[in-house]
């Protein structure tokens, strides 16, 4: 996992603008968070028909996802996780009434896993562009009409690759700082 430093965009993400004490505490909290990251990532390219077959019935009933993937011949499946470490620290902080630190650690965990998935996403985009292909934006279960229960498919694909991965009855992957997404690929001959 890459190391990051405190930036204006991180301060905005954490909604600390104007909070001088919070900004002063941020470097130490970020250092703690980064020490507890257990980054895992995964990606796999599948044919469009295989994607719809694997993610049935959820993919084909999502009007938004079908529209996004309509011109695509293949689909990238991707996942990123930073493990349970930051979540444990955050829960401990809330239990010890250290609310600011606990909340900031939770938000930092979300930020770090999002950065990780963005890096996977950009890598796929560069790879496909080098091959002359175009990509759609990424799309995750739980967004618009693509049900969160589609996570059951990701869970099946990832459970032996991501240590300790679990799936809640509501379809939430645990550790919660785990993100999954799909990204369509169109070839020049298809467009």
């Amino acid at each position: 996992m890459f190391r990051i430093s405190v930036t204006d965009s991180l301060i905005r993400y954490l909604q600390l603008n104007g909070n001088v004490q919070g900004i002063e505490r941020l470097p130490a909290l970020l250092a703690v968070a980064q020490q507890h990251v257990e980054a895992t990532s995964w990606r796999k390219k599948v044919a469009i028909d295989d994607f719809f077959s694997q993610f049935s019935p959820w993919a084909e009933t999502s009007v938004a996802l079908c529209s996004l993937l309509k011109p695509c011949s293949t689909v990238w499946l991707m996942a990123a996780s930073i493990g349970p470490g930051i979540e444990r620290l955050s829960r401990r902080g809330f239990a010890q009434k250290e609310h600011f630190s606990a909340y900031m650690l939770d938000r930092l965990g979300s930020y770090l896993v999002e950065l990780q998935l963005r890096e996977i996403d950009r890598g796929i985009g560069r790879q496909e562009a080098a091959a002359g292909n175009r990509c759609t934006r990424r799309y995750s279960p739980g967004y618009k009409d693509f049900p969160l229960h589609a996570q059951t498919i990701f869970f099946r694909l990832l459970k032996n690759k991501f240590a300790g991965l679990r799936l809640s009855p509501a379809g939430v992957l645990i550790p919660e700082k785990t993100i999954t997404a799909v990204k369509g690929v169109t070839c020049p001959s298809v467009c």
Side-chain angles (χ1 to χ4, degrees):
M1 175 97 187
F2 43 89
R3 293 281 176 207
I4 66 164
S5 58
V6 175
T7 62
D8 288 340
S9 66
L10 177 58
I11 291 168
R12 278 191 306 276
Y13 178 85
L14 297 173
Q15 299 177 351
L16 289 175
N17 291 336
N19 183 337
V20 175
Q21 289 178 326
I23 293 170
E24 287 174 355
R25 293 178 64 186
L26 187 54
L29 288 169
L30 181 57
V32 168
Q34 289 184 122
Q35 289 172 357
H36 289 84
V37 168
E38 302 165 31
T40 308
S41 61
W42 172 87
R43 62 189 212 158
K44 180 180 180 182
K45 191 175 186 179
V46 297
I48 190 77
D49 293 340
D50 292 340
F51 168 76
F52 279 107
S53 175
Q54 274 187 302
F55 282 81
S56 181
W58 302 292
E60 67 259 14
T61 59
S62 169
V63 174
L65 184 61
C66 287
S67 176
L68 180 71
L69 298 178
K70 188 175 183 176
C72 298
S73 56
T74 56
V75 176
W76 279 99
L77 310 175
M78 61 185 105
S81 179
I82 60 165
I86 294 175
E87 289 174 39
R88 281 195 294 261
L89 282 176
S90 178
R91 280 194 299 274
R92 188 178 315 133
F94 279 118
Q96 295 172 350
K97 308 263 189 260
E98 297 171 4
H99 299 290
F100 177 80
S101 295
Y103 178 73
M104 284 297 111
L105 285 169
D106 181 70
R107 296 288 293 152
L108 284 167
S110 297
Y111 186 80
L112 292 170
V113 73
E114 174 62 28
L115 286 180
Q116 185 183 359
L117 192 65
R118 281 184 191 171
E119 189 58 34
I120 296 165
D121 190 9
R122 286 184 189 122
I124 289 170
R126 287 189 297 268
Q127 178 183 335
E128 292 298 342
N133 300 328
R134 294 181 53 205
C135 294
T136 67
R137 69 184 187 285
R138 71 176 198 228
Y139 205 87
S140 293
Y143 185 69
K144 290 194 177 182
D145 63 349
F146 188 31
L148 189 58
H149 287 289
Q151 294 285 46
T152 59
I153 307 305
F154 275 110
F155 176 72
R156 240 182 286 147
L157 294 167
L158 299 171
K159 66 182 176 185
N160 295 324
K161 295 169 179 45
F162 284 42
L165 188 68
R166 297 186 332 252
L167 183 69
S168 79
V172 175
L173 290 173
I174 302 167
E176 291 176 13
K177 302 306 181 202
T178 303
I179 304 175
T180 60
V182 301
K183 182 178 190 71
V185 179
T186 60
C187 299
S189 60
V190 176
C191 296

